[in-house]
Amino acid sequence: MPDSLVLSATMQTALHTAEQLLWDRALVRYRDQWAGAIAALPEDQELAAANYREIFIRDNVPVMLYLLLQGKTDVVRDFLQLSLSLQSQALQTYGILPTSFVCEATHCVADYGQRAIGRVVSADPSLWWPVLLQAYRRASQDDAFVQSSTVQQGLQRLLAFLLRPVFNQNPLLEVPDGAFMVDRPLDVAGAPLEIQVLLYVALRACGQLLQYTEAANAAHVQARRLRQYICWHFWVTPQRLRRWQQWPTEEFGDRSHNPYNIQPIAIPDWVEPWLGESGGYLLGNMRAGRPDFRFFSLGNLLAIIFDALPLNQQGAILRLILQNEAQILGQVPLRLCYPALTGSAWKILTGCDPKNQPWSYHNGGSWPSLLWYLSAAVLHYQQRGGDRELCEIWLEKLQHYHAQQCQQLPQDEWPEYYEGKESVQIAERACRYQTWTFTGLLLNQALLSQPKGIQLLSLRGLP
């Protein structure tokens, strides 16, 4: 009992510190309105020049969800309004939302990829925006804002971009390397899982927010196609793995068993023993002849949170993470992907990227900001009627990891990520006082103490 009291005091101090950092230093205003939270609180010019003082839409997802749970809907509305005003009007990117923006004295400067490595446009900000809008609507009941001509036209422009014709028969959204949270070369070009799940939920959200329009119907139809496609082509289990090893290759025609022409030799040796007998997960990417068998935590957890998979498959993912807890959660939860690219694969596929060295940054690094996604996935699975015993095990573990983070993150000055395979330490190149690190802690606490808060992200119950 004394230990728990000490831990409780430690947790309260950590959460109070995180709250102060959010309100006193991270959230910024523009023209007497809230603009959003900057990515980090840098103290030197080197970090400031590396765009950490900008407002990233993806980094603001946990910020805005936490504020909605705290009843601060005015801040979220201001953020949604300002970011929508920066929707691209350029011909090639018409309708997308910027990766980030910085507020100067008289105007905001947005980044649509013109300053990114490889000049890549980020896809995930545009996909997260309607999800946040839907969460705002659910929390505030502000139908007037959602149905305003500005918002409805913005949704229509975004949806037109997402449904535009492409040189492809499948419903996937293909992107280059570096077009989402994995913002540097890591062999994720093609149809990365995270983008496909976010596309699914963005289509569902747009369809609900636009209500009974032709565009809304098209969004619902495409979302159904996409969900079926993900469930069939991305899903891997021990049984399916053995089936792939037996399928014929070089087939032609619309009845092919192996449309992506997966060669048995392309299946890594580690996959089958790692899966066990009851686990399952969604592949990191599906490309002709080159499926990506790496486990990407965020994409799989989002698939649970947003019901991109049926309940039994959601449970299989949670069981898989549990049986591979040491590899995926490790000393500092949560690894973004497993396993890391190493050796010649790292050299060739990342271009010898020093930041994405094996078991660092996005290449197997550990991100404390991802823990709230795991909590959200478990809570959603529980509230959908998932396996009771599995949920109880996970809820106990989540409390443990949350308490651990409350003690560790303030001492380590809220680092962006950790690195290392066995012995994990603060990454040499990680930014300190990262906003989504301390806000992720706040959101995780809010979800664990108010489990029904996960319903903000539900795709059910709205027209």
Side-chain angles (χ1 to χ4, degrees):
M1 183 64 71
D3 289 342
S4 64
L5 290 174
V6 171
L7 182 60
S8 178
T10 301
M11 293 173 67
Q12 289 178 20
T13 301
L15 294 167
H16 178 69
T17 301
E19 189 86 24
Q20 284 186 313
L21 290 173
L22 175 62
W23 284 102
D24 297 345
R25 300 186 59 191
L27 285 167
V28 297
R29 296 179 69 86
Y30 173 68
R31 293 184 177 177
D32 297 325
Q33 289 187 318
W34 293 104
I38 57 176
L41 312 177
E43 301 297 336
D44 57 75
Q45 292 302 312
E46 182 181 355
L47 285 181
N51 73 12
Y52 282 95
R53 289 193 184 277
E54 296 191 10
I55 298 169
F56 284 77
I57 291 179
R58 85 166 64 90
D59 294 44
N60 272 269
V61 170
V63 175
M64 297 303 149
L65 291 176
Y66 173 70
L67 293 175
L68 288 178
L69 290 175
Q70 301 305 305
K72 307 295 184 181
T73 56
D74 58 322
V75 184
V76 181
R77 174 174 171 150
D78 287 350
F79 169 76
L80 290 168
Q81 204 162 23
L82 178 58
S83 51
L84 180 60
S85 72
L86 299 172
Q87 194 173 28
S88 175
Q89 303 296 314
L91 178 63
Q92 193 168 351
T93 56
Y94 186 78
I96 71 165
L97 278 293
T99 302
S100 65
F101 55 93
V102 59
C103 296
E104 299 182 349
T106 58
H107 64 288
C108 291
V109 179
D111 181 11
Y112 303 98
Q114 72 270 19
R115 291 179 290 162
I117 292 176
R119 301 301 183 258
V120 173
V121 178
S122 293
D124 52 337
S126 299
L127 303 176
W128 270 118
W129 192 87
V131 179
L132 287 176
L133 177 63
Q134 187 190 52
Y136 167 78
R137 179 190 182 188
R138 188 180 291 276
S140 67
Q141 304 297 311
D142 186 2
D143 287 336
F145 175 70
V146 173
Q147 294 171 7
S148 67
S149 59
T150 300
V151 171
Q152 289 290 303
Q153 289 169 11
L155 287 169
Q156 289 171 2
R157 286 191 294 269
L158 173 59
L159 192 55
F161 181 85
L162 297 178
L163 296 178
R164 72 198 187 287
V166 294
F167 289 100
N168 216 328
Q169 285 291 328
N170 63 49
L172 304 175
L173 176 59
E174 297 194 354
V175 297
D177 242 338
F180 53 112
M181 180 183 173
V182 180
D183 58 0
R184 298 167 75 96
L186 199 65
D187 192 35
V188 293
L193 174 63
E194 181 182 330
I195 292 301
Q196 309 320 310
V197 177
L198 285 176
L199 174 62
Y200 166 72
V201 68
L203 289 169
R204 287 287 307 274
C206 285
Q208 292 171 351
L209 294 164
L210 286 169
Q211 296 186 332
Y212 308 109
T213 64
E214 186 176 338
N217 183 61
H220 285 307
V221 170
Q222 187 74 342
R224 284 194 294 271
R225 284 189 63 214
L226 180 58
R227 187 178 189 270
Q228 292 172 353
Y229 205 90
I230 291 171
C231 290
W232 176 250
H233 291 285
F234 281 72
W235 184 246
V236 58
T237 61
Q239 297 76 21
R240 189 167 176 79
L241 205 61
R242 289 189 280 271
R243 202 177 310 141
W244 276 343
Q245 292 168 336
Q246 297 169 0
W247 274 349
T249 58
E250 310 299 331
E251 289 184 296
F252 178 79
D254 56 8
R255 294 183 181 275
S256 167
H257 293 87
N258 190 0
Y260 282 94
N261 201 34
I262 300 171
Q263 306 287 339
I265 198 171
I267 302 173
D269 293 337
W270 61 268
V271 177
E272 191 165 4
W274 191 75
L275 269 171
E277 284 303 317
S278 60
Y281 72 103
L282 293 167
L283 294 174
N285 209 322
M286 180 52 79
R287 300 168 293 208
R290 290 199 315 119
D292 188 347
F293 283 90
R294 286 175 293 177
F295 178 85
F296 282 84
S297 300
L298 184 51
N300 276 275
L301 293 176
L302 288 173
I304 297 175
I305 295 168
F306 293 120
D307 275 325
L309 293 171
L311 198 62
N312 64 318
Q313 291 179 325
Q314 295 177 24
I317 293 174
L318 292 175
R319 279 189 290 274
L320 179 70
I321 298 174
L322 188 62
Q323 74 186 32
N324 295 288
E325 183 178 359
Q327 293 97 332
I328 301 176
L329 275 79
Q331 295 177 349
V332 180
L334 190 67
R335 288 197 193 282
L336 181 61
C337 79
Y338 180 88
L341 293 176
T342 60
S344 59
W346 169 76
K347 292 180 180 179
I348 295 170
L349 298 175
T350 75
C352 298
D353 185 0
K355 194 167 185 177
N356 262 330
Q357 291 188 42
W359 308 107
S360 185
Y361 199 49
H362 296 136
N363 189 20
S366 298
W367 293 72
S369 58
L370 295 180
L371 185 59
W372 78 264
Y373 289 98
L374 179 56
S375 296
V378 171
L379 292 171
H380 172 83
Y381 177 71
Q382 180 189 42
Q383 292 173 24
R384 286 289 314 281
D387 183 279
R388 187 172 180 178
E389 183 179 354
L390 180 63
C391 292
E392 289 175 353
I393 293 172
W394 263 122
L395 289 173
E396 184 176 345
K397 287 185 176 294
L398 289 170
Q399 292 286 354
H400 164 74
Y401 283 116
H402 179 61
Q404 175 186 314
Q405 285 199 347
C406 285
Q407 185 168 11
Q408 182 174 9
L409 296 182
Q411 294 175 356
D412 293 344
E413 298 182 324
W414 312 99
E416 182 181 13
Y417 62 98
Y418 293 76
E419 62 187 4
K421 182 179 181 180
E422 306 296 342
S423 177
V424 177
Q425 62 277 335
I426 302 172
E428 183 179 346
R429 301 184 58 160
C431 180
R432 309 296 178 97
Y433 290 94
Q434 188 81 13
T435 297
W436 65 4
T437 298
F438 55 77
T439 308
L441 186 74
L442 291 170
L443 180 54
N444 199 45
Q445 170 66 28
L447 290 173
L448 292 176
S449 59
Q450 308 169 43
K452 289 188 177 180
I454 190 59
Q455 293 175 7
L456 279 180
L457 292 172
S458 174
L459 295 173
R460 300 165 181 269
L462 289 175

